[in-house]
Amino acid sequence: MNLTNYVRQVSLEDFGKPFNHQAQWNTRLRSTGGRFFPKDGHLDFNPKVYQELGLEVFRKIVRHELCHYHLYYEGKGYKHKDVAFKNLLKEVDGLRFVPPLSNVNQKPDLVYKCHSCGQTYQRKRRIDTKRYRCGLCRGKLILQNPPKD
């Protein structure tokens, strides 16, 4: 799919206005579906949204970014908090937030348990069990589920 041509098509069909800049994929985006850059007018989109959620959801995200784009060039409020943005987004049926994506690179939770009182602690990072103790009874912490790597 030629992304710039697709965004131009959505802009004409849903807004009745041309999109005159470039659209590109950005694989570094993690928690967002797209970004608008007022400095040069280009749009970045997260390819995972298209791959995992499909064309229908992706089109709504394109509409969201085009709301920023068109309002900025019309000199109106183009930020999320602005009334003009909220009204236009509702009018064109754009998404306010991206539905959650699968987090392949997310770290598993480490579970530490106190040997004395049984209190559990969930952490993303390892902790030094020789240095740190239970916050309730000062007992020794034991890692319950060691990572496989």
Side-chain angles (χ1 to χ4, degrees), residues 31-79:
S31 62
T32 185
R35 288 175 60 194
F36 165 60
F37 293 85
K39 195 172 189 177
D40 64 356
H42 84 274
L43 301 176
D44 277 1
F45 291 99
N46 186 344
K48 275 188 167 184
V49 171
Y50 176 63
Q51 294 161 357
E52 292 183 20
L53 303 175
L55 188 60
E56 185 178 328
V57 173
F58 181 69
R59 185 177 181 113
K60 290 183 178 190
I61 290 168
V62 170
R63 289 179 191 147
H64 176 107
E65 297 308 321
L66 284 172
C67 285
H68 290 297
Y69 176 85
H70 290 302
L71 289 171
Y72 176 79
Y73 286 108
E74 291 171 6
K76 297 179 181 174
Y78 68 96
K79 296 181 180 175

Side-chain angles (χ1 to χ4, degrees), residues 107-129:
K107 290 183 177 182
D109 284 337
L110 300 171
V111 178
Y112 291 89
K113 187 172 185 177
C114 175
H115 184 67
S116 301
C117 69
Q119 173 72 23
T120 59
Y121 300 92
Q122 288 189 338
R123 298 290 181 267
K124 293 288 183 191
R125 294 184 178 181
R126 281 183 172 266
I127 60 173
D128 185 358
T129 56

Side-chain angles (χ1 to χ4, degrees), residues 1 8 13 34 37 49 56 62 66 80 83 131 133 145:
M1 164 196 321
R8 286 182 178 146
E13 290 174 4
F37 293 85
V49 171
E56 185 178 328
V62 170
L66 284 172
H80 290 122
V83 175
R131 183 174 176 192
R133 298 288 191 131
N145 59 344

Side-chain angles (χ1 to χ4, degrees), residues 85-102:
F85 176 81
K86 290 178 182 179
N87 291 339
L88 183 59
L89 188 64
K90 190 181 289 184
E91 187 180 314
V92 296
D93 189 32
L95 276 181
R96 180 79 169 94
F97 299 103
V98 178
L101 298 169
S102 67

